[in-house]
């Protein structure tokens, strides 16, 4: 059975989250699915992984809005996610709504 990771900014807010959740819930019988998210509510249930950090979220917002530095404020969250991906050795990583 293939091991697949779905990554979205949030787990339960927005259209992309709805699509990602629908895939996660409906395809769990056919694939070994995991869901990773980094913003909003920390929803760590079975096969979900929260990699966010509230301090980095606000730092990221500040850097983007005031200095135009996209992607420079999430070092530790990104490192936490990449370590998880390497540890679990997924066959496929499905990306949704990664801006922000």
């Amino acid at each position: 059975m293939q091991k697949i990771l779905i990554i979205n900014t949030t787990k339960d807010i927005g259209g992309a989250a709805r699509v990602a959740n629908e895939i996660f819930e409906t395809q769990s019988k056919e694939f070994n699915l995991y869901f990773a998210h980094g913003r909003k509510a920390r929803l760590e249930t079975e096969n979900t992984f929260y990699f966010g950090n509230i301090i980095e979220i606000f730092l990221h917002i500040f850097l983007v809005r005031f200095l135009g530095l996209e992607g420079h404020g999430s070092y530790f969250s990104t490192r936490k996610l990449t370590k998880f991906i390497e540890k679990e050795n997924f066959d496929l990583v499905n990306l949704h709504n990664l801006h922000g």
Side-chain angles (χ1 to χ4, degrees):
M1 185 177 291
Q2 284 189 319
K3 193 172 187 180
I4 299 172
L5 174 64
I6 299 169
I7 302 174
N8 192 56
T9 307
T10 64
K11 175 81 169 75
D12 59 351
I13 298 170
R18 274 194 298 277
V19 170
N21 261 321
E22 187 173 324
I23 293 168
F24 180 67
E25 292 172 8
T26 61
Q27 300 300 312
S28 292
K29 292 175 183 145
E30 294 183 40
F31 303 100
N32 188 9
L33 293 178
Y34 289 76
F35 195 111
H37 62 102
R39 289 235 178 134
K40 302 295 180 190
R42 183 183 187 128
L43 302 171
E44 285 195 58
T45 57
E46 187 175 349
N47 287 9
T48 64
F49 179 74
Y50 179 80
F51 59 91
N53 174 319
I54 192 69
I55 295 168
E56 283 190 339
I57 289 170
F58 287 113
L59 175 63
H60 186 84
I61 290 168
F62 173 80
L63 291 174
V64 170
R65 295 209 176 132
F66 296 106
L67 302 176
L69 298 173
E70 181 72 50
H72 292 286
S74 305
Y75 175 80
F76 295 104
S77 299
T78 301
R79 186 152 166 84
K80 183 177 178 182
L81 178 60
T82 56
K83 280 186 174 187
F84 174 70
I85 292 170
E86 289 171 355
K87 178 185 148 214
E88 294 295 330
N89 196 26
F90 292 101
D91 297 310
L92 178 67
V93 177
N94 185 285
L95 306 173
H96 292 259
N97 192 37
L98 300 181
H99 65 282

Short mmCIF file of all heavy atoms in Angstrom, two decimals, residues 30-91:
data_model
loop_
_atom_site.label_atom_id
_atom_site.label_comp_id
_atom_site.label_asym_id
_atom_site.label_seq_id
_atom_site.Cartn_x
_atom_site.Cartn_y
_atom_site.Cartn_z
N GLU A 30 -7.86 2.99 0.50
CA GLU A 30 -7.04 2.50 -0.60
C GLU A 30 -5.55 2.80 -0.42
O GLU A 30 -4.71 2.12 -1.00
CB GLU A 30 -7.52 3.12 -1.91
CG GLU A 30 -8.92 2.67 -2.29
CD GLU A 30 -9.34 3.24 -3.63
OE1 GLU A 30 -8.48 3.28 -4.54
OE2 GLU A 30 -10.51 3.62 -3.75
N PHE A 31 -5.24 3.86 0.35
CA PHE A 31 -3.85 4.29 0.54
C PHE A 31 -3.59 4.54 2.02
O PHE A 31 -4.51 4.79 2.79
CB PHE A 31 -3.58 5.59 -0.25
CG PHE A 31 -3.84 5.49 -1.71
CD1 PHE A 31 -5.02 5.98 -2.25
CD2 PHE A 31 -2.91 4.90 -2.56
CE1 PHE A 31 -5.28 5.88 -3.60
CE2 PHE A 31 -3.16 4.80 -3.92
CZ PHE A 31 -4.34 5.29 -4.44
N ASN A 32 -2.33 4.51 2.37
CA ASN A 32 -1.92 4.84 3.72
C ASN A 32 -1.66 6.36 3.74
O ASN A 32 -0.58 6.82 3.41
CB ASN A 32 -0.66 4.05 4.08
CG ASN A 32 -0.28 4.20 5.53
OD1 ASN A 32 -1.02 4.74 6.33
ND2 ASN A 32 0.90 3.71 5.86
N LEU A 33 -2.70 7.14 4.09
CA LEU A 33 -2.65 8.60 3.98
C LEU A 33 -2.30 9.28 5.30
O LEU A 33 -2.74 8.86 6.37
CB LEU A 33 -3.99 9.15 3.49
CG LEU A 33 -4.39 8.80 2.07
CD1 LEU A 33 -5.75 9.39 1.76
CD2 LEU A 33 -3.37 9.32 1.09
N TYR A 34 -1.53 10.36 5.19
CA TYR A 34 -1.20 11.24 6.30
C TYR A 34 -1.52 12.66 5.87
O TYR A 34 -1.46 12.99 4.69
CB TYR A 34 0.29 11.15 6.65
CG TYR A 34 0.68 9.86 7.30
CD1 TYR A 34 0.81 8.69 6.56
CD2 TYR A 34 0.93 9.80 8.65
CE1 TYR A 34 1.17 7.51 7.15
CE2 TYR A 34 1.30 8.61 9.26
CZ TYR A 34 1.42 7.47 8.51
OH TYR A 34 1.77 6.30 9.11
N PHE A 35 -1.86 13.52 6.84
CA PHE A 35 -2.20 14.91 6.56
C PHE A 35 -1.33 15.80 7.45
O PHE A 35 -1.33 15.67 8.66
CB PHE A 35 -3.67 15.16 6.88
CG PHE A 35 -4.22 16.43 6.30
CD1 PHE A 35 -5.15 16.38 5.29
CD2 PHE A 35 -3.83 17.67 6.77
CE1 PHE A 35 -5.68 17.55 4.75
CE2 PHE A 35 -4.34 18.83 6.24
CZ PHE A 35 -5.27 18.78 5.22
N ALA A 36 -0.58 16.72 6.83
CA ALA A 36 0.26 17.67 7.58
C ALA A 36 -0.26 19.08 7.35
O ALA A 36 -0.60 19.45 6.23
CB ALA A 36 1.71 17.56 7.13
N HIS A 37 -0.31 19.86 8.42
CA HIS A 37 -0.76 21.25 8.33
C HIS A 37 0.02 22.09 9.33
O HIS A 37 0.54 21.58 10.33
CB HIS A 37 -2.27 21.37 8.58
CG HIS A 37 -2.69 20.92 9.94
ND1 HIS A 37 -2.98 21.80 10.95
CD2 HIS A 37 -2.85 19.69 10.47
CE1 HIS A 37 -3.32 21.13 12.03
NE2 HIS A 37 -3.24 19.84 11.76
N GLY A 38 0.11 23.40 9.04
CA GLY A 38 0.95 24.25 9.88
C GLY A 38 0.28 25.48 10.43
O GLY A 38 0.93 26.26 11.13
N ARG A 39 -0.99 25.68 10.16
CA ARG A 39 -1.69 26.88 10.66
C ARG A 39 -3.04 26.53 11.25
O ARG A 39 -3.59 25.49 10.98
CB ARG A 39 -1.91 27.89 9.52
CG ARG A 39 -0.66 28.55 9.06
CD ARG A 39 -0.82 30.05 9.14
NE ARG A 39 0.43 30.71 8.75
CZ ARG A 39 0.49 31.72 7.92
NH1 ARG A 39 -0.61 32.19 7.40
NH2 ARG A 39 1.64 32.27 7.63
N LYS A 40 -3.55 27.47 12.02
CA LYS A 40 -4.86 27.42 12.69
C LYS A 40 -4.83 26.36 13.79
O LYS A 40 -3.82 26.17 14.43
CB LYS A 40 -6.00 27.19 11.70
CG LYS A 40 -6.07 28.24 10.63
CD LYS A 40 -6.39 29.59 11.20
CE LYS A 40 -6.45 30.62 10.08
NZ LYS A 40 -6.52 31.96 10.55
N ALA A 41 -5.93 25.65 13.99
CA ALA A 41 -6.06 24.72 15.11
C ALA A 41 -5.07 23.56 14.99
O ALA A 41 -4.85 23.03 13.91
CB ALA A 41 -7.48 24.18 15.18
N ARG A 42 -4.51 23.19 16.12
CA ARG A 42 -3.59 22.05 16.18
C ARG A 42 -4.43 20.78 16.27
O ARG A 42 -4.88 20.40 17.34
CB ARG A 42 -2.67 22.19 17.37
CG ARG A 42 -1.66 21.10 17.44
CD ARG A 42 -0.80 21.23 18.70
NE ARG A 42 0.24 20.25 18.63
CZ ARG A 42 1.51 20.52 18.79
NH1 ARG A 42 1.89 21.73 19.09
NH2 ARG A 42 2.41 19.57 18.70
N LEU A 43 -4.65 20.14 15.15
CA LEU A 43 -5.50 18.96 15.08
C LEU A 43 -4.66 17.72 14.82
O LEU A 43 -4.54 17.27 13.70
CB LEU A 43 -6.55 19.14 13.97
CG LEU A 43 -7.47 20.34 14.09
CD1 LEU A 43 -8.29 20.52 12.84
CD2 LEU A 43 -8.35 20.21 15.31
N GLU A 44 -4.06 17.22 15.86
CA GLU A 44 -3.27 15.99 15.69
C GLU A 44 -4.12 14.80 16.09
O GLU A 44 -4.26 14.48 17.25
CB GLU A 44 -1.99 16.06 16.53
CG GLU A 44 -0.95 16.96 15.93
CD GLU A 44 0.43 16.76 16.53
OE1 GLU A 44 0.93 15.62 16.46
OE2 GLU A 44 0.97 17.72 17.05
N THR A 45 -4.71 14.19 15.10
CA THR A 45 -5.45 12.95 15.29
C THR A 45 -4.65 11.86 14.58
O THR A 45 -3.54 12.10 14.13
CB THR A 45 -6.88 13.08 14.73
OG1 THR A 45 -6.79 13.44 13.35
CG2 THR A 45 -7.67 14.15 15.47
N GLU A 46 -5.25 10.72 14.43
CA GLU A 46 -4.54 9.63 13.77
C GLU A 46 -4.14 10.02 12.36
O GLU A 46 -4.95 10.53 11.59
CB GLU A 46 -5.42 8.38 13.74
CG GLU A 46 -4.69 7.17 13.22
CD GLU A 46 -5.53 5.92 13.29
OE1 GLU A 46 -6.59 5.94 13.90
OE2 GLU A 46 -5.10 4.91 12.71
N ASN A 47 -2.88 9.83 12.04
CA ASN A 47 -2.30 10.11 10.72
C ASN A 47 -2.31 11.59 10.34
O ASN A 47 -2.29 11.92 9.16
CB ASN A 47 -2.96 9.28 9.63
CG ASN A 47 -2.54 7.83 9.69
OD1 ASN A 47 -1.90 7.39 10.63
ND2 ASN A 47 -2.89 7.06 8.69
N THR A 48 -2.37 12.47 11.32
CA THR A 48 -2.22 13.90 11.03
C THR A 48 -0.98 14.40 11.77
O THR A 48 -0.59 13.87 12.80
CB THR A 48 -3.44 14.74 11.45
OG1 THR A 48 -3.60 14.67 12.86
CG2 THR A 48 -4.69 14.29 10.73
N PHE A 49 -0.37 15.43 11.21
CA PHE A 49 0.88 15.98 11.77
C PHE A 49 0.82 17.50 11.70
O PHE A 49 0.61 18.07 10.63
CB PHE A 49 2.07 15.45 10.95
CG PHE A 49 3.40 15.96 11.42
CD1 PHE A 49 3.96 15.49 12.59
CD2 PHE A 49 4.08 16.90 10.68
CE1 PHE A 49 5.18 15.95 13.02
CE2 PHE A 49 5.31 17.37 11.10
CZ PHE A 49 5.88 16.89 12.28
N TYR A 50 0.98 18.13 12.86
CA TYR A 50 1.00 19.59 12.94
C TYR A 50 2.45 20.05 13.03
O TYR A 50 3.17 19.65 13.95
CB TYR A 50 0.21 20.07 14.16
CG TYR A 50 0.21 21.57 14.32
CD1 TYR A 50 -0.64 22.36 13.56
CD2 TYR A 50 1.06 22.19 15.22
CE1 TYR A 50 -0.66 23.73 13.70
CE2 TYR A 50 1.05 23.57 15.37
CZ TYR A 50 0.20 24.33 14.60
OH TYR A 50 0.20 25.69 14.75
N PHE A 51 2.88 20.88 12.09
CA PHE A 51 4.27 21.31 12.09
C PHE A 51 4.42 22.80 12.36
O PHE A 51 5.52 23.34 12.32
CB PHE A 51 4.97 20.94 10.77
CG PHE A 51 4.34 21.53 9.54
CD1 PHE A 51 4.76 22.76 9.06
CD2 PHE A 51 3.34 20.86 8.87
CE1 PHE A 51 4.19 23.31 7.92
CE2 PHE A 51 2.76 21.40 7.73
CZ PHE A 51 3.19 22.63 7.25
N GLY A 52 3.32 23.49 12.66
CA GLY A 52 3.36 24.93 12.86
C GLY A 52 4.01 25.35 14.17
O GLY A 52 4.26 24.54 15.07
N ASN A 53 4.27 26.65 14.24
CA ASN A 53 4.87 27.26 15.42
C ASN A 53 4.31 28.68 15.47
O ASN A 53 4.54 29.46 14.54
CB ASN A 53 6.39 27.25 15.26
CG ASN A 53 7.12 27.97 16.36
OD1 ASN A 53 6.71 29.03 16.81
ND2 ASN A 53 8.23 27.41 16.76
N ILE A 54 3.57 29.03 16.51
CA ILE A 54 2.86 30.30 16.56
C ILE A 54 3.80 31.50 16.44
O ILE A 54 3.47 32.49 15.78
CB ILE A 54 1.97 30.40 17.83
CG1 ILE A 54 1.01 31.59 17.73
CG2 ILE A 54 2.81 30.48 19.08
CD1 ILE A 54 -0.07 31.43 16.71
N ILE A 55 4.97 31.43 17.01
CA ILE A 55 5.93 32.53 16.91
C ILE A 55 6.38 32.71 15.47
O ILE A 55 6.43 33.82 14.95
CB ILE A 55 7.14 32.29 17.85
CG1 ILE A 55 6.67 32.33 19.29
CG2 ILE A 55 8.24 33.32 17.60
CD1 ILE A 55 7.69 31.83 20.29
N GLU A 56 6.66 31.60 14.80
CA GLU A 56 7.08 31.68 13.40
C GLU A 56 5.95 32.15 12.49
O GLU A 56 6.20 32.81 11.48
CB GLU A 56 7.60 30.32 12.92
CG GLU A 56 8.98 30.04 13.40
CD GLU A 56 9.57 28.81 12.73
OE1 GLU A 56 8.83 27.97 12.20
OE2 GLU A 56 10.80 28.72 12.74
N ILE A 57 4.73 31.83 12.83
CA ILE A 57 3.60 32.29 12.02
C ILE A 57 3.56 33.82 12.02
O ILE A 57 3.47 34.45 10.97
CB ILE A 57 2.27 31.70 12.53
CG1 ILE A 57 2.22 30.20 12.21
CG2 ILE A 57 1.06 32.42 11.91
CD1 ILE A 57 1.08 29.45 12.86
N PHE A 58 3.67 34.42 13.20
CA PHE A 58 3.65 35.88 13.28
C PHE A 58 4.91 36.50 12.69
O PHE A 58 4.85 37.54 12.04
CB PHE A 58 3.43 36.34 14.72
CG PHE A 58 2.02 36.12 15.17
CD1 PHE A 58 1.73 35.20 16.16
CD2 PHE A 58 0.97 36.84 14.60
CE1 PHE A 58 0.42 34.99 16.57
CE2 PHE A 58 -0.34 36.64 15.00
CZ PHE A 58 -0.62 35.71 15.99
N LEU A 59 6.05 35.85 12.86
CA LEU A 59 7.28 36.34 12.25
C LEU A 59 7.16 36.32 10.73
O LEU A 59 7.52 37.27 10.05
CB LEU A 59 8.48 35.50 12.69
CG LEU A 59 9.81 35.83 12.01
CD1 LEU A 59 10.24 37.26 12.36
CD2 LEU A 59 10.87 34.83 12.43
N HIS A 60 6.62 35.23 10.20
CA HIS A 60 6.44 35.09 8.76
C HIS A 60 5.51 36.19 8.23
O HIS A 60 5.79 36.81 7.21
CB HIS A 60 5.87 33.71 8.44
CG HIS A 60 5.77 33.42 6.98
ND1 HIS A 60 6.82 32.94 6.25
CD2 HIS A 60 4.75 33.55 6.12
CE1 HIS A 60 6.45 32.79 5.00
NE2 HIS A 60 5.19 33.15 4.89
N ILE A 61 4.41 36.42 8.93
CA ILE A 61 3.47 37.47 8.52
C ILE A 61 4.17 38.83 8.49
O ILE A 61 4.02 39.60 7.54
CB ILE A 61 2.24 37.50 9.45
CG1 ILE A 61 1.38 36.24 9.23
CG2 ILE A 61 1.41 38.77 9.23
CD1 ILE A 61 0.32 36.02 10.28
N PHE A 62 4.93 39.14 9.53
CA PHE A 62 5.66 40.41 9.58
C PHE A 62 6.64 40.54 8.42
O PHE A 62 6.69 41.56 7.74
CB PHE A 62 6.40 40.55 10.92
CG PHE A 62 7.29 41.75 10.97
CD1 PHE A 62 6.77 43.00 11.23
CD2 PHE A 62 8.65 41.63 10.73
CE1 PHE A 62 7.58 44.12 11.26
CE2 PHE A 62 9.48 42.74 10.76
CZ PHE A 62 8.94 43.99 11.02
N LEU A 63 7.45 39.50 8.20
CA LEU A 63 8.47 39.56 7.14
C LEU A 63 7.85 39.72 5.75
O LEU A 63 8.39 40.44 4.92
CB LEU A 63 9.36 38.31 7.19
CG LEU A 63 10.29 38.20 8.39
CD1 LEU A 63 10.99 36.85 8.39
CD2 LEU A 63 11.29 39.33 8.40
N VAL A 64 6.74 39.06 5.53
CA VAL A 64 6.09 39.16 4.21
C VAL A 64 5.42 40.51 4.02
O VAL A 64 5.63 41.19 3.02
CB VAL A 64 5.05 38.02 4.02
CG1 VAL A 64 4.21 38.24 2.78
CG2 VAL A 64 5.76 36.68 3.94
N ARG A 65 4.62 40.92 4.99
CA ARG A 65 3.82 42.14 4.82
C ARG A 65 4.65 43.42 4.86
O ARG A 65 4.34 44.37 4.16
CB ARG A 65 2.73 42.18 5.86
CG ARG A 65 1.75 41.04 5.64
CD ARG A 65 0.36 41.35 6.10
NE ARG A 65 -0.51 40.23 5.74
CZ ARG A 65 -1.36 39.68 6.57
NH1 ARG A 65 -1.48 40.15 7.79
NH2 ARG A 65 -2.10 38.69 6.18
N PHE A 66 5.68 43.45 5.70
CA PHE A 66 6.42 44.69 5.86
C PHE A 66 7.75 44.74 5.12
O PHE A 66 8.25 45.81 4.81
CB PHE A 66 6.63 44.98 7.35
CG PHE A 66 5.34 45.22 8.08
CD1 PHE A 66 4.84 44.26 8.93
CD2 PHE A 66 4.62 46.39 7.89
CE1 PHE A 66 3.64 44.46 9.59
CE2 PHE A 66 3.42 46.60 8.55
CZ PHE A 66 2.92 45.63 9.41
N LEU A 67 8.34 43.57 4.86
CA LEU A 67 9.64 43.55 4.20
C LEU A 67 9.62 42.82 2.86
O LEU A 67 10.62 42.82 2.14
CB LEU A 67 10.69 42.92 5.12
CG LEU A 67 10.86 43.60 6.49
CD1 LEU A 67 11.85 42.83 7.34
CD2 LEU A 67 11.29 45.05 6.33
N GLY A 68 8.51 42.16 2.53
CA GLY A 68 8.42 41.44 1.26
C GLY A 68 9.26 40.17 1.20
O GLY A 68 9.54 39.67 0.12
N LEU A 69 9.63 39.63 2.34
CA LEU A 69 10.48 38.43 2.38
C LEU A 69 9.62 37.17 2.54
O LEU A 69 9.39 36.69 3.65
CB LEU A 69 11.50 38.54 3.53
CG LEU A 69 12.48 39.69 3.43
CD1 LEU A 69 13.32 39.78 4.70
CD2 LEU A 69 13.39 39.49 2.23
N GLU A 70 9.15 36.66 1.45
CA GLU A 70 8.33 35.45 1.45
C GLU A 70 9.20 34.23 1.73
O GLU A 70 10.24 34.04 1.12
CB GLU A 70 7.64 35.29 0.10
CG GLU A 70 6.74 34.08 -0.01
CD GLU A 70 5.47 34.23 0.79
OE1 GLU A 70 4.79 35.26 0.66
OE2 GLU A 70 5.15 33.30 1.57
N GLY A 71 8.76 33.39 2.66
CA GLY A 71 9.44 32.12 2.93
C GLY A 71 10.66 32.21 3.83
O GLY A 71 11.39 31.23 3.95
N HIS A 72 10.87 33.34 4.49
CA HIS A 72 12.05 33.48 5.34
C HIS A 72 11.74 33.38 6.83
O HIS A 72 12.65 33.47 7.64
CB HIS A 72 12.74 34.83 5.07
CG HIS A 72 13.36 34.91 3.72
ND1 HIS A 72 14.52 34.26 3.39
CD2 HIS A 72 12.95 35.55 2.60
CE1 HIS A 72 14.82 34.51 2.14
NE2 HIS A 72 13.87 35.29 1.62
N GLY A 73 10.50 33.20 7.22
CA GLY A 73 10.16 33.23 8.63
C GLY A 73 9.72 31.91 9.21
O GLY A 73 9.19 31.88 10.31
N SER A 74 9.95 30.81 8.52
CA SER A 74 9.43 29.52 8.98
C SER A 74 10.51 28.45 9.03
O SER A 74 10.28 27.30 8.67
CB SER A 74 8.29 29.07 8.06
OG SER A 74 7.31 30.05 7.98
N TYR A 75 11.68 28.80 9.49
CA TYR A 75 12.81 27.87 9.48
C TYR A 75 12.53 26.62 10.30
O TYR A 75 12.69 25.49 9.81
CB TYR A 75 14.08 28.55 9.99
CG TYR A 75 15.25 27.60 10.10
CD1 TYR A 75 15.98 27.25 8.97
CD2 TYR A 75 15.59 27.01 11.31
CE1 TYR A 75 17.03 26.35 9.05
CE2 TYR A 75 16.63 26.11 11.39
CZ TYR A 75 17.35 25.79 10.27
OH TYR A 75 18.38 24.89 10.36
N PHE A 76 12.12 26.78 11.55
CA PHE A 76 11.95 25.62 12.43
C PHE A 76 10.75 24.76 12.03
O PHE A 76 10.82 23.53 12.12
CB PHE A 76 11.85 26.07 13.90
CG PHE A 76 13.13 26.68 14.39
CD1 PHE A 76 13.24 28.05 14.53
CD2 PHE A 76 14.24 25.90 14.67
CE1 PHE A 76 14.42 28.63 14.97
CE2 PHE A 76 15.44 26.46 15.10
CZ PHE A 76 15.52 27.83 15.25
N SER A 77 9.67 25.40 11.59
CA SER A 77 8.51 24.64 11.12
C SER A 77 8.85 23.83 9.89
O SER A 77 8.47 22.66 9.77
CB SER A 77 7.35 25.59 10.80
OG SER A 77 6.96 26.30 11.94
N THR A 78 9.57 24.45 8.96
CA THR A 78 9.98 23.75 7.74
C THR A 78 10.89 22.58 8.08
O THR A 78 10.74 21.48 7.54
CB THR A 78 10.67 24.71 6.78
OG1 THR A 78 9.77 25.78 6.46
CG2 THR A 78 11.09 24.02 5.49
N ARG A 79 11.81 22.80 8.98
CA ARG A 79 12.73 21.73 9.40
C ARG A 79 11.97 20.57 10.07
O ARG A 79 12.25 19.40 9.82
CB ARG A 79 13.79 22.29 10.34
CG ARG A 79 14.86 21.32 10.71
CD ARG A 79 16.15 22.06 11.03
NE ARG A 79 17.10 21.21 11.69
CZ ARG A 79 17.92 20.38 11.06
NH1 ARG A 79 17.90 20.31 9.75
NH2 ARG A 79 18.76 19.64 11.73
N LYS A 80 10.99 20.91 10.90
CA LYS A 80 10.17 19.88 11.55
C LYS A 80 9.43 19.05 10.50
O LYS A 80 9.39 17.81 10.59
CB LYS A 80 9.18 20.55 12.50
CG LYS A 80 8.33 19.62 13.30
CD LYS A 80 7.44 20.41 14.25
CE LYS A 80 6.52 19.52 15.04
NZ LYS A 80 5.63 20.29 15.92
N LEU A 81 8.88 19.71 9.48
CA LEU A 81 8.16 19.00 8.43
C LEU A 81 9.10 18.13 7.60
O LEU A 81 8.78 16.97 7.31
CB LEU A 81 7.42 19.99 7.53
CG LEU A 81 6.66 19.39 6.35
CD1 LEU A 81 5.58 18.41 6.82
CD2 LEU A 81 6.06 20.49 5.49
N THR A 82 10.25 18.66 7.21
CA THR A 82 11.17 17.86 6.38
C THR A 82 11.70 16.65 7.14
O THR A 82 11.87 15.58 6.56
CB THR A 82 12.33 18.71 5.83
OG1 THR A 82 13.02 19.33 6.90
CG2 THR A 82 11.84 19.74 4.85
N LYS A 83 11.95 16.79 8.44
CA LYS A 83 12.38 15.63 9.24
C LYS A 83 11.29 14.57 9.28
O LYS A 83 11.57 13.37 9.20
CB LYS A 83 12.75 16.06 10.65
CG LYS A 83 14.11 16.67 10.76
CD LYS A 83 14.46 16.92 12.22
CE LYS A 83 15.89 17.40 12.33
NZ LYS A 83 16.31 17.50 13.73
N PHE A 84 10.03 15.01 9.42
CA PHE A 84 8.90 14.08 9.42
C PHE A 84 8.81 13.33 8.09
O PHE A 84 8.63 12.12 8.06
CB PHE A 84 7.60 14.84 9.72
CG PHE A 84 6.36 14.00 9.61
CD1 PHE A 84 6.09 13.02 10.55
CD2 PHE A 84 5.46 14.19 8.58
CE1 PHE A 84 4.95 12.25 10.46
CE2 PHE A 84 4.31 13.44 8.47
CZ PHE A 84 4.06 12.45 9.42
N ILE A 85 8.95 14.07 6.99
CA ILE A 85 8.89 13.46 5.65
C ILE A 85 10.01 12.44 5.48
O ILE A 85 9.79 11.33 4.99
CB ILE A 85 8.93 14.54 4.55
CG1 ILE A 85 7.64 15.36 4.58
CG2 ILE A 85 9.13 13.91 3.17
CD1 ILE A 85 7.67 16.60 3.70
N GLU A 86 11.21 12.80 5.88
CA GLU A 86 12.35 11.88 5.76
C GLU A 86 12.18 10.65 6.64
O GLU A 86 12.48 9.53 6.22
CB GLU A 86 13.64 12.60 6.12
CG GLU A 86 14.06 13.63 5.08
CD GLU A 86 15.21 14.51 5.54
OE1 GLU A 86 15.65 14.41 6.71
OE2 GLU A 86 15.68 15.33 4.72
N LYS A 87 11.69 10.84 7.86
CA LYS A 87 11.50 9.72 8.79
C LYS A 87 10.45 8.73 8.28
O LYS A 87 10.63 7.52 8.34
CB LYS A 87 11.08 10.26 10.16
CG LYS A 87 10.80 9.21 11.18
CD LYS A 87 10.29 9.84 12.47
CE LYS A 87 9.34 8.89 13.12
NZ LYS A 87 8.25 9.48 13.82
N GLU A 88 9.34 9.26 7.76
CA GLU A 88 8.23 8.41 7.33
C GLU A 88 8.44 7.82 5.94
O GLU A 88 7.75 6.86 5.58
CB GLU A 88 6.91 9.19 7.38
CG GLU A 88 6.49 9.57 8.78
CD GLU A 88 6.15 8.38 9.65
OE1 GLU A 88 5.69 7.33 9.13
OE2 GLU A 88 6.34 8.48 10.88
N ASN A 89 9.33 8.39 5.15
CA ASN A 89 9.67 7.86 3.83
C ASN A 89 8.43 7.66 2.94
O ASN A 89 8.11 6.54 2.53
CB ASN A 89 10.46 6.55 3.97
CG ASN A 89 11.15 6.18 2.69
OD1 ASN A 89 11.47 7.04 1.87
ND2 ASN A 89 11.38 4.90 2.50
N PHE A 90 7.74 8.75 2.65
CA PHE A 90 6.51 8.70 1.84
C PHE A 90 6.82 8.37 0.39
O PHE A 90 7.87 8.73 -0.14
CB PHE A 90 5.79 10.05 1.91
CG PHE A 90 5.23 10.34 3.26
CD1 PHE A 90 5.90 11.18 4.14
CD2 PHE A 90 4.06 9.75 3.68
CE1 PHE A 90 5.40 11.44 5.40
CE2 PHE A 90 3.55 10.00 4.94
CZ PHE A 90 4.21 10.85 5.80
N ASP A 91 5.87 7.69 -0.25
CA ASP A 91 5.98 7.40 -1.68
C ASP A 91 5.57 8.61 -2.52
O ASP A 91 6.05 8.81 -3.63
CB ASP A 91 5.08 6.21 -2.05
CG ASP A 91 5.51 4.94 -1.35
OD1 ASP A 91 6.71 4.60 -1.41
OD2 ASP A 91 4.65 4.29 -0.72
#
